[in-house]
Amino acid sequence: MGTLVHYATDKGVAFLTLTDPPVNAYTYEMFKELDAAILEARFDDDVHVIVLTGHGEKYFCAGANINMLREADESFKYYFCLHANETLCRLEQTPKLVIAALNGHAVGGGLEVALACDLRVARTGPFLVGLPEVNLGVLPGTGGTQRLARLIGRSKAIEMMAEGQNVPFEEGVRLGIINKYWECTKIEDFRRKVDEYAHEFTPPHKAAFAVGRIKRSVQSGLEMSLLEGLAFERELQAELFASSDAKEGLTAYTAKRKPSFKAR
């Protein structure tokens, strides 16, 4: 699709690759392409899962391009942060499972991008995750203060960000930042594993329509009161009960056979 975000699809999975070697740092231009790619995947009825990863073997994303920030005026930087927030919220609210495949370091804004995804998977290597923006005299301004605290708890998130910690992937697993950590030293093996994992959530194996609504119920529901969240959950459930996949799932269960879902 673009030069900074490569877009490709394969059997129900859209692969979005941040591409600006050597560290895949993002600019306003990259986020415009990312925004467009998210919408492309959202509107494509044949796409059920989105995988977001980085180009190369060392960096998922090193965050915002420092040279761009140093040279831009305050007005541009404000609108840059606003657009980044809007783009990542669009990713977070898209009713399709989003997996961040951490092929390398995910620090600063790179981790903030990954935090807007539903699941984060990573590979073996001397790689780090963290939000060290305090070392630049600023805070994590692309959702990091909000999403990290919601994910790992307030006190631990403040500790990580105030100390400017970057921690190894193994520690990221322990903290709950990373969901899966695979023993893949070769990037080719990791990408194959990611591909296999993403396709587990596509038809006919999985009811992707239901997976997308589970994601929406959690991502939006946790920002509501419990009663509002329960009401939202009921509406999504009603939508699912009316789907072909629900009828297939219930029929297959009764007939003691494996269901064949169509995401419809």
Side-chain angles (χ1 to χ4, degrees), residues 15-240:
F15 294 90
L16 283 57
T17 306
L18 306 178
T19 306
D20 192 6
V23 300
N24 303 321
Y26 59 75
T27 55
Y28 174 51
E29 287 71 27
M30 177 183 279
F31 259 76
K32 282 195 291 185
E33 291 188 18
L34 178 60
D35 207 3
I38 292 165
L39 288 173
E40 181 77 16
R42 179 187 281 191
F43 277 89
D44 189 341
D45 288 339
D46 293 327
V47 167
H48 308 294
V49 178
I50 299 170
V51 172
L52 183 59
T53 192
H55 172 81
E57 302 183 24
K58 294 183 179 180
Y59 279 88
F60 169 75
C61 176
N65 186 296
I66 300 299
N67 288 331
M68 176 206 69
L69 290 178
R70 191 176 63 238
E71 294 169 7
D73 62 30
E74 281 68 24
S75 176
F76 179 90
K77 283 185 276 201
Y78 177 84
Y79 287 116
F80 169 71
C81 288
L82 176 59
H83 178 252
N85 286 155
E86 292 167 339
T87 299
L88 294 183
C89 283
R90 202 186 316 282
L91 183 68
E92 193 171 53
Q93 295 301 323
T94 294
K96 301 181 181 188
L97 189 70
V98 181
I99 302 169
L102 306 183
N103 55 300
H105 299 293
V107 293
L111 179 56
E112 291 180 292
V113 171
L115 289 172
C117 300
D118 305 308
L119 302 173
R120 286 154 295 282
V121 301
R123 71 184 185 104
T124 308
F127 304 121
L128 302 172
V129 293
L131 297 173
E133 283 89 342
V134 70
N135 298 325
L136 300 175
V138 296
L139 57 70
T142 313
T145 63
Q146 302 305 300
R147 291 191 176 95
L148 187 65
R150 282 164 169 76
L151 184 64
I152 69 173
R154 297 182 188 185
S155 183
K156 192 63 186 177
I158 290 171
E159 178 190 14
M160 278 193 73
M161 291 183 283
E163 292 183 1
Q165 294 179 13
N166 284 327
V167 301
F169 276 4
E170 296 92 333
E171 178 68 4
V173 174
R174 193 188 69 78
L175 289 169
I177 297 172
I178 294 172
N179 297 88
K180 296 187 182 298
Y181 180 63
W182 293 318
E183 296 290 331
C184 299
T185 53
K186 293 183 179 178
I187 191 67
E188 298 82 9
D189 295 337
F190 176 64
R191 297 198 189 283
R192 184 161 50 249
K193 185 78 174 173
V194 169
D195 183 76
E196 292 170 357
Y197 182 61
H199 280 97
E200 289 180 14
F201 298 97
T202 61
H205 328 290
K206 189 76 75 173
F209 195 58
V211 171
R213 271 68 196 165
I214 290 170
K215 174 242 178 86
R216 284 280 288 124
S217 190
V218 172
Q219 294 286 23
S220 293
L222 286 182
E223 303 305 314
M224 305 174 185
S225 70
L226 178 59
L227 289 178
E228 290 170 331
L230 290 172
F232 184 48
E233 180 186 82
R234 287 195 300 274
E235 293 302 314
L236 293 171
Q237 184 73 303
E239 187 180 355
L240 289 170

